[in-house]
Amino acid sequence: MSTAADDDADYHSSGGSVMPDVLAKGREACYKARDAFYACVEKHADKKPTEIATIGLLYPADCKKSRANFVSNCRPTWVKHFDRQFCAKKRVQRLLDGDEDRRGPISLPQPYTFKQ
């Protein structure tokens, strides 16, 4: 757990400056790069994903340049967070838009399916 004294010590040890990526301009650049990458992923959704990002996110090779821009403009923890968010949204969307048999609770195998 961090205390005010620890935060103050971190501030002074960093030269009294704030990291540029947490300032408004840095966040704005990160958000623009993030939006461009995910727009590219959506645009090329029909192509086979061949590249691997964090947490198992797959994306097409056409989006490599925008992914590199996204990773370079955002903190690694933010990239991981945004990838998790995107995957969760896609998973929910797939469940909502999918076939009727994918909706609802998962049906477990009935006891009579097992040999005794």
Side-chain angles (χ1 to χ4, degrees):
M1 185 171 189
S2 166
T3 65
D6 293 337
D7 291 341
D8 193 40
D10 289 341
Y11 178 77
H12 290 297
S13 67
S14 66
S17 63
V18 177
M19 299 296 288
D21 58 351
V22 296
L23 297 175
K25 285 183 181 179
R27 286 194 314 269
E28 187 177 328
C30 174
Y31 297 153
K32 283 182 181 180
R34 173 200 63 188
D35 294 343
F37 170 67
Y38 291 125
C40 179
V41 170
E42 293 289 331
K43 180 180 167 189
H44 298 292
D46 57 331
K47 295 183 180 176
K48 183 175 171 106
T50 56
E51 306 302 317
I52 301 174
T54 60
I55 68 154
L57 172 69
L58 299 173
Y59 63 96
D62 296 347
C63 301
K64 260 186 171 180
K65 194 178 288 185
S66 61
R67 177 70 186 186
N69 188 28
F70 174 41
V71 170
S72 69
N73 280 312
C74 298
R75 288 182 169 202
T77 53
W78 292 7
V79 171
K80 199 173 189 179
H81 169 74
F82 292 138
D83 284 348
R84 266 197 198 109
Q85 263 188 334
F86 181 77
C87 288
K89 285 179 186 174
K90 294 308 275 180
R91 191 168 32 255
V92 168
Q93 194 65 40
R94 189 175 62 239
L95 289 172
L96 293 176
D97 293 344
D99 299 332
E100 287 297 318
D101 61 342
R102 294 187 67 141
R103 290 187 181 182
I106 298 172
S107 59
L108 298 173
Q110 299 302 317
Y112 58 80
T113 59
F114 300 110
K115 293 182 180 179
Q116 294 184 8

Coordinates of all heavy atoms in Angstrom, one line a residue, residues 43-103:
K43 N -12.2 -3.8 -39.6 CA -12.2 -3.7 -41.0 C -11.8 -5.0 -41.7 O -12.3 -5.4 -42.7 CB -11.4 -2.5 -41.5 CG -11.3 -2.3 -42.9 CD -10.4 -1.1 -43.2 CE -10.1 -1.0 -44.7 NZ -9.1 0.0 -45.0
H44 N -10.7 -5.6 -41.2 CA -10.2 -6.8 -41.8 C -10.6 -8.1 -41.0 O -9.9 -9.1 -41.0 CB -8.6 -6.7 -41.7 CG -8.1 -5.6 -42.6 ND1 -8.2 -5.5 -43.9 CD2 -7.5 -4.4 -42.2 CE1 -7.6 -4.4 -44.4 NE2 -7.2 -3.7 -43.3
A45 N -11.8 -8.0 -40.5 CA -12.3 -9.2 -39.7 C -12.5 -10.4 -40.6 O -12.4 -11.5 -40.1 CB -13.6 -8.8 -39.0
D46 N -12.7 -10.2 -41.9 CA -12.9 -11.3 -42.8 C -11.6 -12.1 -43.1 O -11.7 -13.2 -43.6 CB -13.6 -10.9 -44.0 CG -12.8 -9.8 -44.8 OD1 -12.1 -9.0 -44.1 OD2 -13.0 -9.7 -46.0
K47 N -10.5 -11.4 -42.9 CA -9.2 -12.1 -43.2 C -8.8 -12.9 -42.0 O -9.1 -12.7 -40.8 CB -8.2 -11.0 -43.5 CG -8.5 -10.2 -44.7 CD -7.4 -9.3 -45.0 CE -7.8 -8.5 -46.3 NZ -6.8 -7.5 -46.6
K48 N -8.0 -13.9 -42.3 CA -7.5 -14.8 -41.2 C -6.5 -14.1 -40.3 O -5.5 -13.6 -40.8 CB -6.8 -16.0 -41.9 CG -6.4 -17.1 -40.9 CD -5.8 -18.3 -41.5 CE -5.2 -19.2 -40.5 NZ -6.0 -20.3 -40.1
P49 N -6.7 -14.1 -39.0 CA -5.8 -13.5 -38.1 C -4.5 -14.3 -38.0 O -4.6 -15.5 -37.7 CB -6.6 -13.4 -36.8 CG -7.6 -14.4 -36.9 CD -7.9 -14.6 -38.3
T50 N -3.4 -13.7 -38.1 CA -2.1 -14.4 -38.1 C -1.2 -13.9 -37.0 O -0.2 -14.6 -36.7 CB -1.4 -14.4 -39.5 OG1 -1.2 -13.0 -39.8 CG2 -2.2 -15.0 -40.6
E51 N -1.5 -12.8 -36.5 CA -0.6 -12.1 -35.5 C -1.2 -12.3 -34.1 O -2.4 -12.3 -34.0 CB -0.3 -10.7 -35.8 CG 0.1 -10.4 -37.2 CD 1.4 -11.1 -37.6 OE1 2.3 -11.1 -36.8 OE2 1.5 -11.7 -38.7
I52 N -0.3 -12.4 -33.1 CA -0.7 -12.6 -31.7 C -0.4 -11.4 -30.9 O 0.8 -10.9 -30.9 CB -0.1 -13.8 -31.1 CG1 -0.5 -15.1 -31.9 CG2 -0.5 -14.0 -29.7 CD1 0.2 -16.3 -31.4
A53 N -1.4 -10.8 -30.2 CA -1.1 -9.7 -29.3 C -1.1 -10.2 -27.9 O -1.0 -11.4 -27.7 CB -2.2 -8.6 -29.6
T54 N -1.3 -9.3 -27.0 CA -1.4 -9.7 -25.6 C -2.7 -10.5 -25.3 O -3.6 -10.4 -26.1 CB -1.3 -8.5 -24.6 OG1 -2.5 -7.7 -24.9 CG2 -0.1 -7.7 -24.8
I55 N -2.6 -11.3 -24.3 CA -3.8 -12.1 -23.8 C -4.4 -12.9 -24.9 O -5.6 -13.2 -24.8 CB -4.8 -11.2 -23.0 CG1 -5.6 -10.3 -23.9 CG2 -4.2 -10.5 -21.8 CD1 -6.9 -9.9 -23.4
G56 N -3.7 -13.3 -25.9 CA -4.3 -14.2 -26.9 C -5.1 -13.5 -28.0 O -5.7 -14.2 -28.8
L57 N -5.1 -12.2 -28.1 CA -5.8 -11.5 -29.1 C -5.1 -11.8 -30.4 O -3.9 -11.6 -30.6 CB -5.9 -10.0 -28.8 CG -6.4 -9.1 -29.9 CD1 -7.9 -9.4 -30.1 CD2 -6.2 -7.6 -29.6
L58 N -5.9 -12.2 -31.4 CA -5.4 -12.5 -32.7 C -5.8 -11.3 -33.7 O -7.0 -10.9 -33.6 CB -5.9 -13.8 -33.3 CG -5.5 -15.0 -32.4 CD1 -6.2 -16.3 -33.0 CD2 -4.0 -15.2 -32.5
Y59 N -4.9 -10.9 -34.6 CA -5.3 -9.9 -35.5 C -4.6 -10.2 -36.9 O -3.6 -10.8 -36.9 CB -5.0 -8.5 -35.0 CG -3.5 -8.3 -34.7 CD1 -2.7 -7.6 -35.7 CD2 -2.9 -8.6 -33.5 CE1 -1.4 -7.4 -35.5 CE2 -1.6 -8.4 -33.3 CZ -0.8 -7.8 -34.3 OH 0.5 -7.5 -34.0
P60 N -5.2 -9.6 -38.0 CA -4.6 -9.9 -39.3 C -3.3 -9.1 -39.5 O -3.0 -8.1 -38.8 CB -5.6 -9.4 -40.3 CG -6.7 -8.7 -39.5 CD -6.4 -8.9 -38.0
A61 N -2.5 -9.6 -40.4 CA -1.1 -9.0 -40.6 C -1.3 -7.6 -41.2 O -0.4 -6.8 -41.1 CB -0.4 -9.9 -41.6
D62 N -2.4 -7.3 -41.8 CA -2.6 -6.0 -42.4 C -2.6 -4.9 -41.3 O -2.4 -3.7 -41.6 CB -4.0 -5.9 -43.1 CG -4.0 -6.8 -44.3 OD1 -2.9 -7.3 -44.7 OD2 -5.1 -7.0 -44.9
C63 N -2.8 -5.3 -40.0 CA -2.9 -4.3 -38.9 C -1.6 -4.2 -38.1 O -1.6 -3.6 -37.1 CB -4.1 -4.7 -38.0 SG -5.7 -4.8 -38.8
K64 N -0.5 -4.8 -38.6 CA 0.7 -4.8 -37.9 C 1.2 -3.4 -37.6 O 1.7 -3.1 -36.5 CB 1.8 -5.5 -38.7 CG 2.1 -6.9 -38.3 CD 3.2 -7.5 -39.0 CE 3.6 -8.8 -38.4 NZ 4.7 -9.4 -39.1
K65 N 1.1 -2.5 -38.6 CA 1.6 -1.2 -38.5 C 0.8 -0.4 -37.4 O 1.4 0.3 -36.6 CB 1.6 -0.4 -39.8 CG 2.4 0.8 -39.9 CD 2.3 1.5 -41.2 CE 3.1 0.7 -42.2 NZ 3.2 1.3 -43.6
S66 N -0.5 -0.5 -37.5 CA -1.3 0.2 -36.5 C -1.1 -0.4 -35.1 O -1.2 0.3 -34.1 CB -2.8 0.2 -36.9 OG -3.3 -1.1 -37.0
R67 N -0.9 -1.7 -35.0 CA -0.6 -2.3 -33.7 C 0.7 -1.8 -33.1 O 0.8 -1.5 -31.9 CB -0.5 -3.9 -33.9 CG -0.1 -4.6 -32.6 CD -1.3 -4.6 -31.6 NE -0.9 -5.1 -30.3 CZ -1.7 -5.3 -29.3 NH1 -2.9 -5.0 -29.4 NH2 -1.2 -5.8 -28.2
A68 N 1.7 -1.7 -34.0 CA 3.0 -1.1 -33.5 C 2.8 0.3 -33.0 O 3.4 0.7 -32.0 CB 4.0 -1.2 -34.6
N69 N 2.0 1.1 -33.7 CA 1.8 2.5 -33.3 C 1.0 2.5 -32.0 O 1.3 3.3 -31.1 CB 0.9 3.2 -34.4 CG 0.8 4.6 -34.2 OD1 1.6 5.3 -33.5 ND2 -0.3 5.2 -34.6
F70 N 0.1 1.6 -31.8 CA -0.7 1.5 -30.6 C 0.2 1.1 -29.4 O 0.2 1.8 -28.4 CB -1.8 0.4 -30.8 CG -2.6 0.1 -29.6 CD1 -3.0 1.0 -28.7 CD2 -2.9 -1.3 -29.4 CE1 -3.8 0.6 -27.6 CE2 -3.7 -1.6 -28.3 CZ -4.1 -0.7 -27.4
V71 N 1.1 0.1 -29.6 CA 2.0 -0.3 -28.5 C 3.0 0.8 -28.2 O 3.3 1.0 -27.0 CB 2.7 -1.6 -28.9 CG1 3.8 -2.0 -28.0 CG2 1.6 -2.7 -29.0
S72 N 3.4 1.5 -29.2 CA 4.4 2.6 -28.9 C 3.8 3.8 -28.3 O 4.5 4.5 -27.6 CB 5.2 3.0 -30.2 OG 4.3 3.6 -31.1
N73 N 2.5 4.1 -28.5 CA 1.9 5.3 -27.9 C 1.3 5.0 -26.5 O 0.9 6.0 -25.9 CB 0.9 5.8 -28.8 CG 1.5 6.6 -29.9 OD1 2.3 7.5 -29.7 ND2 1.1 6.4 -31.2
C74 N 1.1 3.8 -26.1 CA 0.4 3.5 -24.9 C 1.3 2.7 -23.9 O 2.2 2.0 -24.4 CB -0.8 2.7 -25.1 SG -2.0 3.5 -26.2
R75 N 1.1 2.8 -22.6 CA 1.8 2.0 -21.7 C 1.4 0.6 -21.9 O 0.3 0.2 -22.3 CB 1.3 2.4 -20.3 CG 1.9 3.8 -19.8 CD 1.4 4.0 -18.4 NE 2.2 5.2 -17.9 CZ 2.4 5.5 -16.6 NH1 1.9 4.7 -15.7 NH2 3.0 6.5 -16.3
P76 N 2.3 -0.3 -21.6 CA 2.0 -1.8 -21.7 C 0.8 -2.2 -20.9 O 0.0 -3.1 -21.4 CB 3.3 -2.5 -21.2 CG 4.4 -1.4 -21.4 CD 3.7 -0.1 -21.2
T77 N 0.6 -1.7 -19.7 CA -0.5 -2.1 -18.9 C -1.8 -1.6 -19.6 O -2.8 -2.3 -19.5 CB -0.4 -1.5 -17.5 OG1 -0.2 -0.1 -17.6 CG2 0.7 -2.2 -16.7
W78 N -1.8 -0.4 -20.2 CA -3.0 0.1 -20.9 C -3.3 -0.8 -22.1 O -4.4 -1.1 -22.4 CB -2.8 1.5 -21.3 CG -2.7 2.5 -20.2 CD1 -2.6 2.2 -18.9 CD2 -2.6 3.9 -20.3 NE1 -2.5 3.4 -18.2 CE2 -2.5 4.4 -19.0 CE3 -2.6 4.8 -21.4 CZ2 -2.4 5.8 -18.8 CZ3 -2.5 6.1 -21.2 CH2 -2.4 6.6 -19.9
V79 N -2.3 -1.2 -22.9 CA -2.5 -2.0 -24.0 C -3.1 -3.3 -23.6 O -4.1 -3.8 -24.2 CB -1.1 -2.3 -24.7 CG1 -1.3 -3.4 -25.8 CG2 -0.6 -1.0 -25.3
K80 N -2.6 -3.9 -22.6 CA -3.2 -5.2 -22.1 C -4.6 -5.0 -21.6 O -5.5 -5.8 -21.9 CB -2.3 -5.7 -20.9 CG -2.5 -7.1 -20.5 CD -1.5 -7.5 -19.5 CE -1.5 -9.0 -19.3 NZ -0.5 -9.4 -18.3
H81 N -4.9 -3.9 -20.9 CA -6.2 -3.6 -20.5 C -7.2 -3.4 -21.7 O -8.3 -4.0 -21.7 CB -6.2 -2.3 -19.6 CG -7.6 -1.7 -19.4 ND1 -8.4 -2.3 -18.5 CD2 -8.2 -0.7 -19.9 CE1 -9.6 -1.6 -18.4 NE2 -9.5 -0.6 -19.3
F82 N -6.8 -2.6 -22.7 CA -7.6 -2.4 -23.9 C -7.8 -3.7 -24.6 O -8.9 -3.9 -25.2 CB -7.0 -1.3 -24.8 CG -7.0 0.1 -24.2 CD1 -5.9 0.9 -24.3 CD2 -8.1 0.5 -23.4 CE1 -5.9 2.2 -23.8 CE2 -8.1 1.8 -22.9 CZ -7.0 2.6 -23.1
D83 N -6.8 -4.5 -24.7 CA -7.0 -5.8 -25.4 C -8.0 -6.7 -24.7 O -8.8 -7.4 -25.3 CB -5.6 -6.6 -25.5 CG -4.7 -6.0 -26.6 OD1 -5.2 -5.2 -27.4 OD2 -3.6 -6.4 -26.6
R84 N -7.9 -6.7 -23.3 CA -8.9 -7.5 -22.5 C -10.3 -7.0 -22.8 O -11.2 -7.7 -22.9 CB -8.6 -7.4 -21.1 CG -7.7 -8.5 -20.6 CD -7.8 -8.5 -19.0 NE -6.7 -9.3 -18.6 CZ -5.6 -8.8 -18.0 NH1 -5.5 -7.6 -17.6 NH2 -4.6 -9.6 -17.6
Q85 N -10.4 -5.6 -22.8 CA -11.8 -5.0 -23.0 C -12.3 -5.4 -24.4 O -13.5 -5.8 -24.5 CB -11.7 -3.5 -22.9 CG -12.0 -2.9 -21.6 CD -12.1 -1.4 -21.8 OE1 -11.4 -0.8 -22.6 NE2 -12.8 -0.8 -20.9
F86 N -11.5 -5.3 -25.4 CA -11.9 -5.7 -26.7 C -12.3 -7.1 -26.8 O -13.4 -7.4 -27.4 CB -10.8 -5.4 -27.7 CG -11.1 -5.6 -29.2 CD1 -11.9 -4.7 -29.9 CD2 -10.7 -6.8 -29.8 CE1 -12.2 -5.0 -31.2 CE2 -11.0 -7.0 -31.1 CZ -11.8 -6.1 -31.8
C87 N -11.5 -8.0 -26.3 CA -11.9 -9.4 -26.3 C -13.2 -9.7 -25.6 O -14.0 -10.5 -26.0 CB -10.7 -10.3 -25.7 SG -9.3 -10.4 -26.8
A88 N -13.4 -9.1 -24.4 CA -14.6 -9.3 -23.7 C -15.8 -8.8 -24.5 O -16.8 -9.5 -24.5 CB -14.5 -8.6 -22.3
K89 N -15.7 -7.6 -25.1 CA -16.8 -7.1 -25.9 C -17.1 -8.0 -27.1 O -18.3 -8.3 -27.4 CB -16.5 -5.7 -26.4 CG -16.5 -4.6 -25.3 CD -16.2 -3.3 -25.9 CE -16.1 -2.2 -24.8 NZ -15.6 -0.9 -25.3
K90 N -16.1 -8.5 -27.7 CA -16.3 -9.4 -28.8 C -16.9 -10.7 -28.4 O -17.8 -11.3 -29.1 CB -15.0 -9.7 -29.6 CG -14.3 -8.6 -30.2 CD -15.3 -7.8 -31.1 CE -15.4 -8.4 -32.5 NZ -16.3 -7.7 -33.4
R91 N -16.5 -11.2 -27.2 CA -17.1 -12.5 -26.7 C -18.6 -12.3 -26.4 O -19.4 -13.1 -26.8 CB -16.3 -12.9 -25.5 CG -16.6 -14.3 -25.0 CD -15.6 -14.8 -23.9 NE -15.1 -13.8 -23.0 CZ -13.8 -13.3 -23.1 NH1 -13.0 -13.7 -24.0 NH2 -13.4 -12.4 -22.2
V92 N -18.9 -11.2 -25.8 CA -20.3 -10.9 -25.5 C -21.1 -10.7 -26.8 O -22.2 -11.2 -26.9 CB -20.5 -9.7 -24.6 CG1 -21.9 -9.2 -24.5 CG2 -19.9 -10.0 -23.2
Q93 N -20.6 -10.0 -27.7 CA -21.2 -9.8 -29.0 C -21.5 -11.1 -29.7 O -22.5 -11.3 -30.3 CB -20.4 -8.8 -29.8 CG -21.2 -8.2 -31.0 CD -22.3 -7.4 -30.6 OE1 -22.2 -6.6 -29.6 NE2 -23.4 -7.5 -31.2
R94 N -20.5 -12.0 -29.7 CA -20.6 -13.2 -30.4 C -21.7 -14.1 -29.7 O -22.5 -14.7 -30.4 CB -19.3 -14.0 -30.3 CG -19.3 -15.2 -31.2 CD -17.9 -15.9 -31.2 NE -17.5 -16.3 -29.9 CZ -16.4 -15.9 -29.3 NH1 -15.6 -15.1 -29.8 NH2 -16.1 -16.4 -28.1
L95 N -21.8 -14.0 -28.4 CA -22.9 -14.7 -27.7 C -24.3 -14.1 -28.0 O -25.2 -14.9 -28.1 CB -22.6 -14.7 -26.2 CG -21.5 -15.6 -25.7 CD1 -21.2 -15.4 -24.2 CD2 -21.8 -17.1 -26.0
L96 N -24.3 -12.8 -28.1 CA -25.6 -12.2 -28.4 C -26.1 -12.3 -29.8 O -27.2 -12.5 -30.1 CB -25.6 -10.7 -28.0 CG -25.4 -10.4 -26.5 CD1 -25.2 -8.9 -26.3 CD2 -26.6 -10.9 -25.7
D97 N -25.1 -12.3 -30.7 CA -25.4 -12.3 -32.1 C -25.4 -13.7 -32.7 O -25.9 -14.0 -33.8 CB -24.5 -11.5 -33.0 CG -24.6 -10.0 -32.7 OD1 -25.7 -9.6 -32.1 OD2 -23.7 -9.2 -33.0
G98 N -24.9 -14.7 -31.9 CA -24.7 -16.0 -32.5 C -25.9 -16.8 -32.7 O -27.1 -16.3 -32.6
D99 N -25.8 -18.0 -33.0 CA -26.9 -18.9 -33.2 C -27.7 -19.1 -31.9 O -27.2 -18.9 -30.9 CB -26.4 -20.3 -33.7 CG -25.6 -20.2 -35.0 OD1 -25.9 -19.2 -35.8 OD2 -24.7 -21.0 -35.3
E100 N -28.9 -19.6 -32.1 CA -29.7 -19.8 -30.9 C -29.1 -20.8 -30.0 O -29.3 -20.8 -28.8 CB -31.1 -20.3 -31.4 CG -32.0 -19.2 -32.0 CD -32.2 -18.0 -31.0 OE1 -32.6 -18.3 -29.8 OE2 -32.2 -16.9 -31.4
D101 N -28.4 -21.8 -30.5 CA -27.9 -22.9 -29.7 C -26.8 -22.4 -28.8 O -26.4 -23.1 -27.8 CB -27.5 -24.1 -30.5 CG -26.4 -23.8 -31.5 OD1 -26.2 -22.6 -31.8 OD2 -25.7 -24.7 -32.0
R102 N -26.2 -21.2 -29.1 CA -25.1 -20.7 -28.3 C -25.6 -19.8 -27.1 O -24.9 -19.4 -26.3 CB -24.2 -19.9 -29.1 CG -23.4 -20.8 -30.1 CD -22.4 -20.0 -30.8 NE -21.4 -19.6 -29.8 CZ -20.1 -19.6 -30.1 NH1 -19.7 -19.9 -31.3 NH2 -19.2 -19.2 -29.2
R103 N -26.9 -19.5 -27.2 CA -27.5 -18.6 -26.1 C -27.8 -19.5 -24.9 O -28.1 -20.7 -25.0 CB -28.7 -17.9 -26.6 CG -28.4 -16.9 -27.7 CD -29.6 -16.1 -28.0 NE -29.3 -15.1 -29.0 CZ -30.2 -14.3 -29.5 NH1 -31.4 -14.3 -29.1 NH2 -29.9 -13.4 -30.4

